[in-house]
Amino acid sequence: MTTTRVAVPRKGRPLEAVLERLAGRTGTTDLADEIISTLRYEKAVTKGNQDAVADVYHRISDYSSLDTPYEPEYTLLRDDRDGMPRRIVFDSVTVPTEYGDVQLVGREEPFRALRTHEFALGFDSADLVLEEVVQLRDEPLTAIHEINDRIDPLDTDVRVVTGLGDTVYHTLLATPEVMDSQDEPLDRTFVTNYEGELCISPRYERLVEAVLGTSALDGVSFTYPMEGGEEEADIAATGLGVYLTVTGSTARDHGLELGEQLFPSETVLLENAHERTETTEQVASLFEEPEETALQSI
């Protein structure tokens, strides 16, 4: 049987979501746990939260086994921290499935690898799709089918297939003083009636424009957190902002109220439709679930 290559992130929450979903369908939980625990340990070493018992070259030699089929491989990348230390990240692993072997291949930018037709299938953050290719319109973006509707077919053949449910929300945050300026709940309508500054991360500018809708931003100017500062603190100083909120506890520590969850930062399965085959459709089904993901149900 053929081997289907699937592009995945090299580290972090999105990779873990892919491994866990595939493990649930193939019974390879031990393998997924091994990769996840190894990468979490290496992250802790890179951040200085864990002391390594051997240097990075000995550790990667211990983790990798080129002669053993179906075992994970790792690679070294320069981390962007001070001193640019080498960090061990995911390279690849092959998993046997009912539709043939599936090889997960680590890429720094899986979405872009699909755009260049290097892969038929891949996983990346829905955020990146909005930042890269979604058209901006007056109306807000609110559901998964709207993402594909807003992708210009002349721009890319890549489309979103489904989400994995590893959801962290981009959320509206405001101080009580700003909240009191309107007799409205803190939602998209609130922003439509608001004039002033809105604090966001600069890398999410197009995303925020897409999920709020450009008409809601009339009279609104973006400000950005100070480098090295705490984003919630800058939002509190501004009065209103959008932040990728996990629990909201830190926001409350800064006196911020949580408003509407605008968009889920969820890992999504992507497909290059031009490269679709019967086998890639079967492999894609391994990652789909019958229940709705947060991305489908906003």
Side-chain angles (χ1 to χ4, degrees), residues 202-251:
R203 67 191 180 104
Y204 290 133
E205 186 166 316
R206 279 182 54 87
L207 181 150
V208 171
E209 290 176 324
V211 301
L212 286 175
T214 54
S215 63
L217 295 171
D218 291 343
V220 172
S221 60
F222 289 146
T223 64
Y224 309 103
M226 296 177 61
E227 187 173 350
E230 196 168 18
E231 289 196 39
E232 291 101 323
D234 288 285
I235 292 173
T238 302
L240 181 67
V242 177
Y243 186 65
L244 198 59
T245 306
V246 180
T247 64
S249 59
T250 308

Side-chain angles (χ1 to χ4, degrees), residues 61-88:
S61 176
D62 289 340
Y63 297 150
S64 298
S65 178
L66 296 173
D67 299 326
T68 307
Y70 307 116
E71 290 296 319
E73 300 297 330
Y74 302 88
T75 192
L76 289 171
L77 290 181
R78 288 289 188 188
D79 193 85
D80 59 3
R81 296 178 181 275
D82 290 344
M84 299 185 69
R86 289 187 179 274
R87 178 173 176 178
I88 294 176

Side-chain angles (χ1 to χ4, degrees), residues 152-171:
D152 185 345
L154 298 178
D155 187 21
T156 181
D157 293 315
V158 179
R159 298 293 182 273
V160 175
V161 179
T162 190
L164 293 187
D166 57 327
T167 309
V168 180
Y169 284 94
H170 294 277
T171 304

Side-chain angles (χ1 to χ4, degrees), residues 55-225:
D55 66 37
V56 68
Y57 300 103
H58 283 91
R59 297 200 307 275
I60 195 171
S61 176
D62 289 340
Y63 297 150
S64 298
S65 178
L66 296 173
D67 299 326
T68 307
Y70 307 116
E71 290 296 319
E73 300 297 330
Y74 302 88
T75 192
L76 289 171
L77 290 181
R78 288 289 188 188
D79 193 85
D80 59 3
R81 296 178 181 275
D82 290 344
M84 299 185 69
R86 289 187 179 274
R87 178 173 176 178
I88 294 176
V89 295
F90 177 75
D91 184 70
S92 65
V93 71
T94 300
V95 178
T97 78
E98 59 187 298
Y99 304 121
D101 286 349
V102 173
Q103 185 184 32
L104 304 181
V105 181
R107 285 291 184 269
E108 283 301 288
E109 299 174 332
F111 176 51
R112 291 170 186 170
L114 266 73
R115 295 191 71 185
T116 57
H117 297 257
E118 186 179 352
F119 294 85
L121 296 172
F123 291 88
D124 216 326
S125 170
D127 295 353
L128 188 60
V129 181
L130 269 65
E131 286 294 318
E132 291 272 329
V133 297
V134 162
Q135 298 171 336
L136 301 179
R137 299 179 184 173
D138 286 345
E139 301 78 19
L141 179 69
T142 60
I144 191 169
H145 68 271
E146 295 174 358
I147 295 178
N148 289 338
D149 289 344
R150 293 195 187 193
I151 296 176
D152 185 345
L154 298 178
D155 187 21
T156 181
D157 293 315
V158 179
R159 298 293 182 273
V160 175
V161 179
T162 190
L164 293 187
D166 57 327
T167 309
V168 180
Y169 284 94
H170 294 277
T171 304
L172 272 172
L173 305 175
T175 60
E177 293 77 15
V178 169
M179 288 281 293
D180 291 343
S181 67
Q182 293 187 40
D183 189 20
E184 295 282 351
L186 186 56
D187 56 15
R188 289 178 173 88
T189 302
F190 186 98
V191 179
T192 300
N193 298 326
Y194 171 82
E195 291 188 359
E197 294 182 337
L198 179 70
C199 185
I200 64 170
S201 171
R203 67 191 180 104
Y204 290 133
E205 186 166 316
R206 279 182 54 87
L207 181 150
V208 171
E209 290 176 324
V211 301
L212 286 175
T214 54
S215 63
L217 295 171
D218 291 343
V220 172
S221 60
F222 289 146
T223 64
Y224 309 103

